[in-house]
Amino acid sequence: MKQYFTRYNIALVLAIIGSILSVIGWVGVFKGNDALQVYVVGGMFFALIAYIFGGLLTALKMAVGIAKWGIFFDSFPLNILNVLVAFVLAVIILLFLPVFPVLKARSQYQNT
């Protein structure tokens, strides 16, 4: 029974709750219901707590991996801007959908 309460499993549950709240909130905001912005904030709160339990380094590694693709799309001065913009967008997306980095961190933990 103790194996089910690892910090990665707790982080996974929190990440699922955060992802669901974020999706509900963003769907409501895009439909024009501004009262559902509370769900977006709640989703970010659960995401940050999930990243504290496990998956923050994995999320940052995933964001850097996404940002590296910005190098290939333009010439020298613009590719640095592409990398920065891609990194910021990846961090924002991973903040609202924390389930993917936490799942990856959990699977890496189980494989070791």
Side-chain angles (χ1 to χ4, degrees):
M1 184 71 166
K2 191 174 182 178
Q3 66 185 359
Y4 295 115
F5 292 114
T6 65
R7 66 184 185 129
Y8 288 103
N9 289 338
I10 294 170
L12 180 62
V13 170
L14 292 172
I16 290 171
I17 292 170
S19 296
I20 290 171
L21 288 176
S22 292
V23 168
I24 290 171
W26 281 113
V27 167
V29 167
F30 286 132
K31 286 192 175 188
N33 190 354
D34 291 334
L36 293 178
Q37 290 177 355
V38 175
Y39 288 108
V40 174
V41 175
M44 287 186 346
F45 177 73
F46 276 104
L48 291 175
I49 293 175
Y51 285 144
I52 288 171
F53 276 103
L56 182 62
L57 292 177
T58 306
L60 291 176
K61 287 178 188 176
M62 289 174 73
V64 168
I66 292 169
K68 285 181 183 177
W69 283 96
I71 293 173
F72 300 114
F73 290 115
D74 278 329
S75 60
F76 170 64
L78 294 177
N79 64 359
I80 295 172
L81 180 66
N82 286 341
V83 169
L84 292 175
V85 169
F87 180 75
V88 169
L89 287 175
V91 167
I92 289 171
I93 290 171
L94 293 175
L95 183 63
F96 292 119
L97 294 171
V99 72
F100 299 116
V102 172
L103 271 174
K104 186 173 181 179
R106 183 175 173 247
S107 67
Q108 289 174 352
Y109 171 73
Q110 287 178 346
N111 290 337
T112 60

